[in-house]
């Protein structure tokens, strides 16, 4: 069977005649007063129990461990399959004052382990009497305590009853007063409401009539305005259509002229490209350098823009942070104010709720009367809303028509703007055509001047060769002799200062002269570039060249052997001469062949041609 048993554990200290400690354990049942079993364990008995059951705890720690085991049994007593059990086993079939063993058992799926087994002896008559006397004594003490509590509670309840009865009588009087006041107040309110309702009905009827009259007047005015605006817009539309036709005709004419100009442009561009291909060979080096400079400038501009954008973003973020801080401070202050006001309102609401509950029942009747009146008002308002919806729809139709007219106006304006843009493009193309034509004329003039320069130089060289042949005898130059062609022309003019004996043709004079193997002079192969220093040569020839007697070429030129100075100015859009080498030549080679009036200065004699010859 299963019982609820009370276990009392006590440590008894005995000092006579020797100081000892004993552990007393007592088993009792609250339902059966004669159920009593005792166990006293001394330190010597505990040692024998420890050796028998294999305990690992000392006598001082044994009581606490025993209590822990009992608590585990109490925790698992309500489970279907408890882990820890307390078994009270007796040898007799019933508990008839025979020794009993108390076992603490742990259940496993494999085995029942007994952690501790203690043998209890049944209580003697004297022990049972003592136990019962103690129980009676405790019960009497509890009874006395309960009687004192009962008396105190009765006195308190009688006091509370008398106090509540007095309060009830006072509150009933107050209720009667409030009922009387409420009835008078409700009658007054109903009278006021009835008067106000009648007055409001009259006002609503008057307002309705006024609104209807105003609405009819506004409707007539709007219809008149709408008809006028439609007539005006139709007139505008007709004018705009006429303007649009004129503009389209102009556009077609402009397109035809643009096509003709484009055809002319394509022809002119082909000619320009042929002329520019020769210029590009000299400009490629400059373009590469310009491209590198442009790329570096782009990189610098990109970096500067990035820096500016980052600085602006930092400033914007700082401003946002300051604004958010200000908003936070303001919200916190408002929160504190609102919390204080909400607390005050809650207190006031609690006070009002008590008064409203008593008044709500009687207000419901008044609300029913008011609801009926509100229903009548709603019917009137619905009729007004229908009239308002009709007017709103008419206004929407008017607005849509106005939007359509505005769209047509915008489209006409856009067409005018596009036509203006195209006219501007035509003007730009005409300007480009004029500029290209001017450049072509300039290039043609430059070509003519270049041809004149080439012919003049060829004449100069031929005159120099003829003069050298006639004036200088072959015996005066110590080993240098000029070969004569079959037509009595100097075939190989000899250069005595340098040791070169190659012939110089009119166009070959400015090309590279090959150095012979027996030449010892370091300046025998001095390449020269045909450049603007030839201006000096032309000026010197004007100053100290005289045509030979009886020579027809000098007579034809007269005094003006050189060209004007404007043909030797440097120009960027110049075209190099074909047939002339750009290698360099020292002017000392040509000086003996130039007819002179007076010896040139030593500076002029030794100056090399260094600047570029213009196009």
């Amino acid at each position: 069977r299963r019982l609820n048993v009370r276990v009392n554990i006590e440590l008894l200290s005995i000092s006579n005649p020797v100081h000892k400690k004993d552990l007393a354990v007592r088993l009792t049942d609250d339902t059966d007063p004669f159920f009593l079993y005792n166990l006293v364990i001394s330190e010597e008995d505990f040692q024998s129990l420890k050796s028998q059951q294999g305990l690992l705890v000392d006598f001082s720690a044994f009581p606490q461990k025993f209590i822990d085991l009992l608590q585990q049994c109490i925790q698992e007593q309500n489970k279907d399959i408890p882990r820890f059990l307390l078994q009270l086993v007796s040898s007799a079939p019933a508990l008839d004052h025979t020794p009993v063993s108390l076992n603490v058992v742990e259940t496993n799926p494999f085995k029942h382990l007994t952690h501790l087994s203690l043998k209890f002896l049944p209580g003697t008559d004297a022990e049972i009497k003592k136990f019962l006397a103690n129980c009676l004594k405790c019960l009497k003490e509890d009874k006395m305590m309960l009687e004192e509590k009962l008396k105190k509670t009765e006195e308190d309840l009688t006091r509370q009853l008398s106090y509540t009865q007095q309060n009830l009588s006072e509150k009933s009087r107050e209720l009667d007063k409030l009922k009387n006041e409420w009835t008078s107040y409700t009658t007054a309110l109903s009278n006021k409401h009835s008067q106000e309702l009648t007055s409001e009905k009259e006002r609503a009827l008057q307002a309705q009539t006024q609104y209807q009259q105003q609405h009819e007047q506004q409707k007539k005015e709007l219809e008149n305005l709408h008809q006028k605006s439609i007539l005006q817009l139709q007139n505008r539309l007709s004018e705009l259509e006429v303007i649009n036709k004129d503009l389209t005709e102009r556009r077609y004419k402009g397109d035809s002229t643009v096509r003709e100009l484009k055809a002319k442009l394509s022809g002119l561009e082909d000619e320009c490209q042929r002329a520019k291909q020769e210029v590009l060979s000299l400009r490629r080096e400059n373009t590469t350098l310009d491209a590198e400079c442009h790329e570096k400038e782009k990189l610098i501009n990109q970096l500067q823009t990035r820096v500016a954008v980052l600085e602006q973003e930092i400033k914007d973020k700082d401003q946002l942070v300051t604004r958010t801080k200000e908003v936070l401070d303001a919200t916190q202050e408002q929160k504190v104010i609102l919390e204080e006001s909400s607390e005050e309102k809650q207190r006031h609401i609690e006070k009002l709720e008590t008064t409203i509950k008593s008044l709500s029942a009687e207000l419901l009747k008044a609300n029913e009367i008011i609801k009926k009146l509100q229903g009548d008002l709603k019917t009137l308002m619905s009729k007004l809303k229908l009239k308002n919806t009709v007017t709103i729809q008419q206004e929407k139709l008017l607005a849509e028509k106005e939007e359509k007219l505005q769209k047509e106006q915008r489209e006409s304006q856009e067409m005018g703007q596009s036509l203006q843009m195209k006219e501007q493009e035509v003007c730009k193309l005409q300007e480009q055509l004029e500029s290209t034509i001017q450049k072509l004329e300039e290039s043609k003039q430059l070509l003519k001047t270049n041809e004149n320069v080439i012919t003049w130089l060829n004449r100069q060289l031929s005159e120099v060769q003829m003069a050298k042949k006639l004036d200088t005898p072959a015996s005066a130059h110590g080993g240098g002799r000029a070969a004569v062609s079959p037509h009595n022309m100097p075939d190989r003019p000899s250069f005595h200062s340098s040791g070169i004996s190659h012939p110089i043709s009119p166009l070959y004079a400015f090309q590279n002269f090959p150095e012979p193997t027996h030449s010892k002079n370091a300046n025998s192969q001095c390449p020269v570039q045909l450049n603007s220093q030839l201006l000096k040569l032309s000026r010197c020839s004007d100053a100290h060249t005289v045509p030979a007697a009886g020579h027809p070429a000098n007579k034809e030129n007269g005094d003006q052997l050189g060209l004007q100075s404007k043909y030797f100015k440097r120009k960027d859009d110049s075209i190099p001469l074909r047939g002339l080498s750009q290698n360099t030549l020292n002017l000392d080679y040509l000086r003996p062949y130039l007819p002179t009036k007076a010896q040139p200065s030593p500076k002029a004699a030794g100056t090399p041609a260094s600047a570029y010859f213009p196009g």
Side-chain angles (χ1 to χ4, degrees):
R1 60 177 177 160
R2 199 166 183 177
L3 289 172
N4 289 321
V5 179
R6 190 180 294 278
V7 182
N8 292 321
I9 299 165
E10 293 179 1
L11 268 172
L12 303 173
S13 60
I14 301 164
S15 59
N16 290 323
V18 182
H19 184 72
K20 289 182 180 180
K21 282 185 178 180
D22 294 332
L23 181 68
V25 183
R26 186 172 61 194
L27 294 175
T28 56
D29 189 2
D30 294 336
T31 59
D32 188 4
F34 294 103
F35 183 86
L36 180 65
Y37 289 91
N38 292 319
L39 175 63
V40 178
I41 300 170
S42 62
E43 291 182 0
E44 295 171 357
D45 296 332
F46 180 75
Q47 294 298 325
S48 63
L49 191 139
K50 185 178 179 181
S51 61
Q52 284 174 7
Q53 297 187 10
L55 301 174
L56 301 172
V57 183
D58 295 332
F59 182 72
S60 59
F62 176 70
Q64 186 62 42
K65 294 290 181 183
F66 184 48
I67 290 163
D68 293 336
L69 288 169
L70 291 173
Q71 284 177 353
Q72 286 180 356
C73 294
I74 289 161
Q75 287 175 1
E76 304 219 353
Q77 66 182 349
N78 294 320
K79 292 182 180 178
D80 294 331
I81 301 168
R83 190 180 171 190
F84 288 93
L85 294 169
L86 263 180
Q87 287 182 353
L88 191 67
V89 182
S90 67
S91 58
L95 295 170
D96 295 333
H97 302 290
T98 54
V100 171
S101 62
L102 183 71
N103 299 325
V104 180
V105 181
E106 183 181 357
T107 59
N108 281 329
F110 179 70
K111 186 180 178 182
H112 291 280
L113 296 172
T114 56
H115 287 284
L116 186 66
S117 67
L118 300 172
K119 287 184 179 180
F120 285 83
L121 296 171
T124 59
D125 292 335
E127 288 175 350
I128 291 165
K129 285 175 183 178
K130 279 183 185 178
F131 174 66
L132 290 170
N134 286 323
C135 288
L136 264 171
K137 189 178 178 182
C138 292
L139 286 168
K140 282 179 180 179
E141 288 176 355
D142 291 335
K143 185 184 176 185
M144 292 290 288
M145 292 286 289
L146 289 167
E147 283 176 353
E148 287 176 357
K149 285 181 181 178
L150 259 172
K151 285 178 182 178
K152 287 178 182 179
T153 51
E154 283 176 357
E155 288 174 356
D156 292 331
L157 286 167
T158 51
R159 286 173 190 170
Q160 287 176 3
L161 254 173
S162 61
Y163 181 70
T164 50
Q165 284 174 358
Q166 288 174 2
N167 285 327
L168 259 172
S169 61
E170 289 175 357
K171 285 181 179 179
S172 61
R173 289 169 191 169
E174 288 177 358
L175 246 176
D176 294 331
K177 287 179 182 179
L178 286 167
K179 281 180 181 178
N180 294 322
E181 289 175 357
W182 180 244
T183 51
S184 61
Y185 182 69
T186 50
T187 52
L189 274 172
S190 60
N191 293 323
K192 282 182 183 179
H193 282 303
S194 61
Q195 290 174 1
E196 286 175 357
L197 278 168
T198 53
S199 63
E200 282 179 358
K201 281 180 181 178
E202 291 173 357
R203 287 175 188 172
L205 289 168
Q206 290 174 0
Q208 190 176 358
T209 53
Q210 287 177 0
Y211 285 135
Q212 284 177 355
Q213 291 173 0
Q214 288 177 1
H215 177 67
E216 288 175 356
Q217 288 176 359
Q218 287 177 358
K219 188 177 178 182
K220 289 177 182 177
E221 290 174 357
L222 285 168
E223 285 176 354
N224 294 323
L225 288 168
H226 183 60
Q227 288 175 358
K228 289 177 182 177
S229 61
I230 287 164
L231 291 169
Q232 288 176 359
L233 291 167
Q234 284 176 356
N235 294 324
R236 281 186 189 174
L237 256 174
S238 59
E239 290 174 358
L240 288 168
E241 284 176 353
V242 172
I243 293 163
N244 196 0
K245 286 177 182 178
D246 294 333
L247 290 169
T248 49
E249 288 175 358
R250 287 182 186 175
R251 183 186 170 187
Y252 290 127
K253 287 177 183 178
D255 290 334
S256 61
T257 52
V258 166
R259 285 172 190 169
E260 290 174 358
L261 291 167
K262 280 182 180 177
K264 289 178 182 179
L265 246 179
S266 61
L268 291 168
E269 282 178 353
D270 293 333
E271 292 178 1
C272 283
Q273 284 176 358
R274 288 170 190 169
K276 283 179 182 178
Q277 282 175 0
E278 296 175 357
V279 176
L280 288 169
S281 61
L282 293 170
R283 287 187 180 175
R284 282 173 186 171
E285 294 178 357
N286 290 327
T287 52
T288 53
L289 294 169
D290 290 329
E292 289 177 359
C293 291
H294 284 303
E295 287 175 355
K296 288 178 181 178
E297 286 176 356
K298 285 179 183 177
L299 284 169
I300 290 161
N301 290 322
Q302 288 176 359
L303 291 168
Q304 287 176 353
T305 52
R306 283 182 185 174
V307 169
V309 169
L310 289 169
E311 287 176 354
Q312 286 181 355
E313 287 178 354
I314 289 160
K315 288 177 182 178
D316 294 334
K317 286 178 180 178
D318 292 332
Q319 290 176 359
L320 279 170
V321 168
T322 52
R323 286 176 185 172
T324 49
K325 283 181 180 177
E326 290 173 358
V327 172
L328 263 174
D329 295 332
T331 49
Q332 285 177 357
E333 290 174 358
Q334 287 179 358
K335 188 179 177 183
V336 173
I337 293 161
L338 287 168
E339 285 175 354
E340 290 176 357
S341 64
S342 63
E343 287 175 358
E344 290 177 358
K345 285 178 181 177
Q346 281 178 358
R347 291 171 189 168
H348 186 64
I349 286 160
E350 287 173 357
K351 289 177 182 178
L352 289 170
E353 280 176 355
T354 55
T355 56
I356 287 162
K357 284 178 183 177
S358 60
L359 298 171
S360 61
E362 294 176 357
L363 277 168
L364 287 168
K365 294 177 182 178
N367 286 326
E368 288 174 356
I369 296 159
I370 291 159
K371 282 178 183 177
K372 289 178 182 178
L373 296 169
Q374 284 177 352
D376 297 331
L377 276 169
K378 282 179 182 177
T379 54
L380 291 169
M381 291 298 287
S382 62
K383 289 177 182 177
L384 282 169
K385 282 179 182 177
L386 284 168
K387 291 177 182 178
N388 289 325
T389 51
V390 172
T391 55
I392 288 161
Q393 286 176 0
Q394 289 176 356
E395 288 175 355
K396 284 181 180 177
L397 289 168
L398 287 168
E400 287 176 357
K401 288 178 180 178
E402 287 177 355
E403 285 178 357
K404 286 178 182 178
L405 288 168
Q406 286 176 359
K407 284 180 182 177
E408 289 174 356
Q409 288 175 359
R410 286 173 189 168
E411 287 176 358
S412 63
Q413 287 176 359
E414 287 176 358
M415 289 290 288
Q417 288 177 358
S418 63
L419 283 167
Q420 287 178 359
M421 292 289 286
K422 285 180 180 178
E423 286 175 358
Q424 289 176 0
E425 287 178 358
V426 169
C427 293
K428 287 179 182 177
L429 289 167
Q430 286 176 355
E431 289 176 356
Q432 287 178 0
L433 258 174
E434 289 174 357
S435 64
T436 50
I437 289 161
Q438 287 177 0
K439 286 180 181 178
L440 270 170
E441 288 175 354
E442 288 176 357
S443 62
K444 285 177 182 178
Q445 288 177 0
L446 285 168
L447 283 167
K448 286 178 182 178
T449 54
N450 290 331
E451 288 174 359
N452 291 325
V453 169
I454 290 162
T455 53
W456 177 77
L457 288 168
N458 287 324
R459 284 176 189 171
Q460 291 290 325
L461 286 168
S462 61
E463 288 171 2
V464 166
Q465 287 176 359
M466 290 295 290
K468 191 70 178 175
K469 182 183 174 185
L470 294 169
D471 293 337
T472 57
S475 62
H477 293 286
R481 68 186 178 83
V484 180
S485 66
H487 300 287
N488 295 322
M489 293 295 288
D491 192 15
R492 288 177 183 268
S494 61
F495 297 95
H496 305 286
S497 61
S498 61
I500 296 168
S501 62
H502 293 284
I504 297 171
S505 66
L507 289 171
Y508 193 73
F510 293 99
Q511 293 180 357
N512 289 332
F513 291 98
E515 184 180 2
T517 55
H518 64 275
S519 176
K520 293 179 181 180
N521 192 359
N523 294 323
S524 62
Q525 188 178 358
C526 295
V528 78
Q529 192 173 6
L530 188 59
N531 50 35
S532 62
Q533 285 292 330
L534 287 171
L535 181 60
K536 293 181 181 179
L537 180 62
S538 66
R539 288 175 183 171
C540 292
S541 64
D542 288 332
H544 58 271
T545 56
V546 178
H551 200 276
N554 290 331
K555 287 177 183 178
E556 287 173 3
N557 290 326
D559 294 331
Q560 293 181 350
L561 288 170
L563 292 170
Q564 294 179 2
S565 62
K566 68 179 181 180
Y567 297 114
F568 293 95
K569 288 180 182 177
R570 184 181 176 86
K571 290 186 179 179
D572 293 328
D573 297 328
S574 58
I575 301 165
L577 293 171
R578 289 186 180 178
L580 291 177
S581 175
Q582 293 182 359
N583 297 324
T584 57
L585 177 68
N586 198 337
L587 293 173
D588 291 330
Y589 295 125
L590 295 174
R591 193 171 287 113
Y593 300 98
L594 295 170
T596 59
K597 289 181 180 179
Q599 279 301 108
S601 64
K603 288 182 180 177
T607 52
S610 61
Y612 289 100
F613 184 69

